[in-house]
Amino acid sequence: MKIVSVVGARPQFIKAAVVSRVLRGQHQERLLHTGQHYDYEMSEVFFRELDLPRPDINLGVGSASHARQTGEMLIGIEQVLLREKPDGVLIYGDTNSTLAGALAAAKLNLPVAHVEAGLRSFNRAMPEEINRVVADRLSDLLFCPTRTAVENLAREGITAGVHLVGDVMYDLLLQSLPLAERTSTILERLGLQPGAYLLATVHRAGNTDSRENLAGILAGLGATGETVILPLHPRTRHALAGWGLAPAEKVRLIEPVGYLDMLVLEKNARLILTDSGGVQKEACWLGIPCLTLREETEWVETVEAGWNLLVGTSAERIAEAVRGFYPQGEKPALFGDGRAGEQIVRILEDTLGSHL
Ligand code: UD1
Ligand code: UDP
């Protein structure tokens, strides 16, 4: 098989690393980076750390409005697909790079395979929700991490090509944690003791584009009185400057970190606060209590299991939950068995390979 994998944003490098490792062993892969993320800490670091091959193509699209960014990606991806003539196109998650990959491939009648299909927040104000709905509608193969995702698709009338495979991010966490714990020096570099700090990430448009929400989150973090480590997404850095907001002294802003350092920061945190999809899941896998800085989540199983609490952006709710949220019992076993990548490649072979 010859597959073009479309990536562009941080969580996609992480997800693609898993499938790419399996795929490249036996098949041809062209890794197409749209250039949506481009800072060293948002892109290059993951290629270095994750044994992910260098992108074969980088469109260098960069940041722009939704329409301009997606449009430039569409034009670039189409040219690559026409040249490469792959047997299928792999897309990941829910970013503008996902949407552009799906659209460009579908218009060329190329099979589209979506990794992390079927996730829904049921909030169309999120750009990601629009990307998910369209990408899933256009996909021929839909690789779902959860049963809920399969059910979400069925409710939209999508049942053909749907496969419950588990979560590729779990595969990567299992594969990477021993290496991370052996090699990362992040705790020493930041002078942190295990269990003696909170870890936070914030980057959702709904939280950064509203001064009230961002100010509420910062006030909540400050009100905990605990040391908070906040690796700052560039979107949030710009928002803080634009809104004229600064955090309390014990909230330590740091540059975004690589995946291995992030795993170690997560594993040793007393508690995690986040609006990131990936970080909610990792908290759960590592058995760290998680507060989600949103009113809804796609990863409802983490909430149902009692290890994730939706706290929104009110300073009082955040500070109160930091004081009083202690999940009971064992950490839940969610989202697969760590072999999602292998299952995905096997299904690609069975379906796309049979047409060759
Ligand atoms: C994107 C995805 C989001 C995903 C997130 C992962 C969309 C619509 N959103 O959000 O689903 O959760 O990536 O991190 O696709 N910027 C830089 N340097 C970079 C990248 C971005 O400075 O390397 C700044 C730019 O000012 C840019 C802003 O961050 O305008 C937002 O970047 P963009 O890629 O548009 O969206 P994200 O918020 O990163
Ligand atoms: N991550 C990272 N460094 C950071 C913040 C996050 O490596 O400074 C990792 C995190 O561990 C997870 C992924 O990035 O694997 C999540 O990506 P992000 O939060 O950007 O996007 P989302 O999952 O919300 O789409």
Side-chain angles (χ1 to χ4, degrees):
M1 284 187 301
K2 182 177 186 184
I3 300 288
V4 168
S5 302
V6 179
V7 295
R10 173 167 68 187
Q12 294 170 324
F13 311 135
I14 289 167
K15 291 165 196 169
V18 174
V19 182
S20 186
R21 276 180 201 175
V22 188
L23 200 56
R24 294 226 172 192
Q26 300 149 50
H27 303 281
Q28 265 195 69
E29 184 191 37
R30 294 276 179 277
L31 194 61
L32 191 170
H33 188 329
T34 62
Q36 176 170 352
H37 285 176
Y38 44 86
D39 289 350
Y40 177 86
E41 298 83 8
M42 296 299 290
S43 174
E44 173 80 21
V45 66
F46 300 100
F47 289 86
R48 288 182 180 232
E49 276 189 344
L50 297 180
D51 192 24
L52 186 61
R54 307 222 58 74
D56 297 286
I57 307 112
N58 190 328
L59 300 178
V61 161
S63 306
S65 70
H66 284 278
R68 181 173 291 279
Q69 188 183 54
T70 312
E72 287 181 13
M73 288 177 192
L74 262 177
I75 295 168
I77 295 171
E78 183 183 57
Q79 282 173 356
V80 174
L81 296 182
L82 285 170
R83 190 172 69 231
E84 296 290 342
K85 300 185 180 46
D87 300 304
V89 177
L90 262 177
I91 55 171
Y92 290 89
D94 54 16
T95 74
N96 288 348
S97 300
T98 317
L99 174 66
L103 261 176
K107 288 287 185 96
L108 294 173
N109 290 324
L110 290 169
V112 181
H114 186 195
V115 177
E116 210 175 82
L119 275 292
R120 295 291 180 271
S121 64
F122 304 101
N123 175 2
R124 290 271 171 114
M126 288 179 79
E128 292 87 353
E129 185 76 352
I130 303 187
N131 295 342
R132 292 177 194 129
V133 168
V134 177
D136 284 339
R137 174 54 64 189
L138 296 178
S139 292
D140 302 284
L141 284 172
L142 300 102
F143 296 119
C144 296
T146 66
R147 191 157 292 288
T148 307
V150 175
E151 288 162 9
N152 289 338
L153 291 174
R155 227 176 287 121
E156 293 174 20
I158 303 174
T159 51
V162 175
H163 299 270
L164 178 60
V165 294
D167 198 310
V168 290
M169 290 184 77
Y170 185 45
D171 296 21
L172 191 66
L173 181 138
L174 292 178
Q175 291 165 19
S176 308
L177 196 56
L179 176 67
E181 295 199 285
R182 222 172 36 244
T183 58
S184 169
T185 57
I186 188 81
L187 297 185
E188 292 84 343
R189 288 189 339 258
L190 296 176
L192 297 170
Q193 294 301 321
Y197 64 92
L198 312 179
L199 175 69
T201 78
V202 184
H203 75 276
R204 288 281 152 221
N207 284 341
T208 56
D209 296 1
S210 152
R211 186 179 200 283
E212 190 188 342
N213 288 353
L214 195 53
I217 291 170
L218 282 189
L221 297 179
T224 65
E226 298 188 47
T227 297
V228 181
I229 302 300
L230 177 49
L232 207 54
H233 192 290
R235 177 185 202 99
T236 316
R237 184 173 294 286
H238 293 137
L240 290 178
W243 295 124
L245 291 169
E249 201 188 330
K250 291 185 86 172
V251 179
R252 292 172 58 184
L253 305 183
I254 62 170
E255 290 299 314
V257 296
Y259 178 71
L260 300 178
D261 282 343
M262 188 64 180
L263 284 185
V264 168
L265 281 176
E266 288 173 340
K267 178 141 193 264
N268 292 285
R270 180 179 88 66
L271 179 141
I272 292 174
L273 303 101
T274 190
D275 60 8
S276 154
V279 176
Q280 286 174 63
K281 291 184 287 182
E282 287 163 354
C284 199
W285 290 321
L286 294 167
I288 308 299
C290 182
L291 302 178
T292 292
L293 304 164
R294 293 173 49 196
E295 299 295 346
E296 80 274 312
T297 180
E298 300 76 23
W299 305 99
V300 289
E301 295 82 356
T302 60
V303 176
E304 286 160 7
W307 282 74
N308 186 6
L309 190 66
L310 300 174
V311 294
T313 58
S314 120
E316 294 72 34
R317 265 169 82 192
I318 293 169
E320 192 185 319
V322 166
R323 279 193 298 274
F325 183 55
Y326 290 97
Q328 303 298 315
E330 289 289 298
K331 69 179 176 186
L334 288 174
F335 313 136
D337 60 1
R339 303 174 77 95
E342 287 164 40
Q343 287 200 60
I344 287 170
V345 173
R346 212 183 47 241
I347 295 164
L348 285 172
E349 285 167 349
D350 288 349
T351 46
L352 305 184
S354 64
H355 299 304
L356 301 180

